Amino acid sequence: MATQALVSSSLSSSVETARQILGARPLQSSIGSSRKGSFVVRAASTPPAKQGADRQLWFASKQSLTYLDGSLPGDYGFDPLGLSDPEGPGGFIEPKWLAYGEVINGRYAMLGAVGAIAPEILGQAGLIPPETALPWFRTGVIPPAGTYNYWADPYTLFVFEMALMGFAEHRRFQDWANPGSMGRQYFLGLEKYLGGSGEPAYPGGPLFNPLGFGKDEKSLKDLKLKEVKNGRLAMLAIVGYFIQGLVTGVGPYQNLLDHLADPFNNNILTNLKFH
């Protein structure tokens, strides 16, 4: 009897474990019972991607879809270099850091894309003096090309800007490594606004979300997607600004005006001498 009870208990435990692994519904043990139990095995269903099982994919591979599951904003499975693959060439960089870096650099690029072209547009409209309506590379952001006389020479300004940005980036990295830590460090009385939301890329609060966008989950998700899409576009625009400046020697707005005035002689092919 003891042997039978031990075998019965072991079989019952094994069957129940198998049911859990295979996704079957737990059933009462049928051993020693007059009721006949059925053993129904159900394949464990794969949870759908958080952006929807039917999300659009861009050159996704089977490997990329093993780690890009749609949970990140703007995730379409596109990772041809495997930079976000924990087991691939990008494994030495934490995927969360790459996703965070994309959002932050996208924001910088959106600000830069507008800031770089705004003086040209405002100058053409006569809203600012001609001496300040400079192409972006003449403002001193690239010290050797700077032509505007500020309170200091372009090289001094460049070093000063690097120091300020280094300080800001250091604090940003601290918040990423230890979310909420900036709210516990004294910072001119503003630390109470710097505690964040626990998600470093989206700190929220009166300083970083003064208009209170994304109050519900759906709208916040939509805004995150729009932000990363526009951030990617802005990063490409910044690359275009650099190439246009090197090739044409004028700013992006002047390039646009020249192209609209004579599209056949002012375009990417003629600028690169492919004609």
Side-chain angles (χ1 to χ4, degrees), residues 25-98:
R25 284 186 275 181
L27 297 174
Q28 298 293 330
S29 174
S30 60
I31 300 177
S33 173
S34 60
R35 297 185 62 183
K36 200 173 187 183
S38 61
F39 190 89
V40 180
V41 177
R42 301 179 181 226
S45 60
T46 302
K50 293 183 180 179
Q51 286 189 350
D54 58 345
R55 62 183 172 130
Q56 185 179 4
L57 299 177
W58 295 348
F59 301 100
S61 64
K62 291 183 179 180
Q63 179 63 17
S64 70
L65 292 178
T66 62
Y67 54 87
L68 295 177
D69 60 356
S71 58
L72 294 173
D75 171 14
Y76 300 102
F78 180 81
D79 188 20
L81 300 180
L83 296 180
S84 295
D85 188 352
E87 301 177 357
F92 65 96
I93 305 176
E94 189 172 351
K96 289 183 179 179
W97 173 255
L98 289 174

Side-chain angles (χ1 to χ4, degrees), residues 79-236:
D79 188 20
L81 300 180
L83 296 180
S84 295
D85 188 352
E87 301 177 357
F92 65 96
I93 305 176
E94 189 172 351
K96 289 183 179 179
W97 173 255
L98 289 174
Y100 174 64
E102 181 184 36
V103 173
I104 298 301
N105 283 280
R107 291 171 182 168
Y108 282 146
M110 286 188 282
L111 289 172
V114 175
I117 200 172
E120 283 191 89
I121 297 176
L122 296 176
Q124 291 281 351
L127 298 177
I128 60 175
E131 58 269 21
T132 61
L134 300 173
W136 65 268
F137 51 86
R138 298 290 184 193
T139 61
V141 65
I142 301 177
T147 60
Y148 187 75
N149 292 322
Y150 295 95
W151 54 270
D153 64 273
Y155 290 94
T156 301
L157 288 175
F158 181 78
V159 173
F160 185 65
E161 290 171 358
M162 290 294 290
L164 290 177
M165 283 300 299
F167 174 74
E169 287 293 284
H170 175 68
R171 289 184 61 85
R172 184 173 66 81
F173 178 77
Q174 284 182 311
D175 184 66
W176 181 82
N178 186 12
S181 60
M182 294 300 97
R184 298 188 293 271
Q185 294 183 11
Y186 175 75
F187 189 69
L188 304 176
L190 298 175
E191 59 275 3
K192 61 183 177 181
Y193 302 113
L194 303 177
S197 62
E199 191 174 0
Y202 306 98
L207 290 182
F208 302 103
N209 188 16
L211 299 180
F213 291 122
K215 293 182 178 179
D216 58 87
E217 184 177 354
K218 183 180 183 304
S219 63
L220 181 61
K221 181 179 177 180
D222 291 341
L223 289 172
K224 287 180 179 180
L225 179 60
K226 291 177 181 178
E227 180 186 44
V228 77
K229 283 183 174 181
N230 283 281
R232 290 168 179 170
L233 184 61
M235 286 188 279
L236 290 175

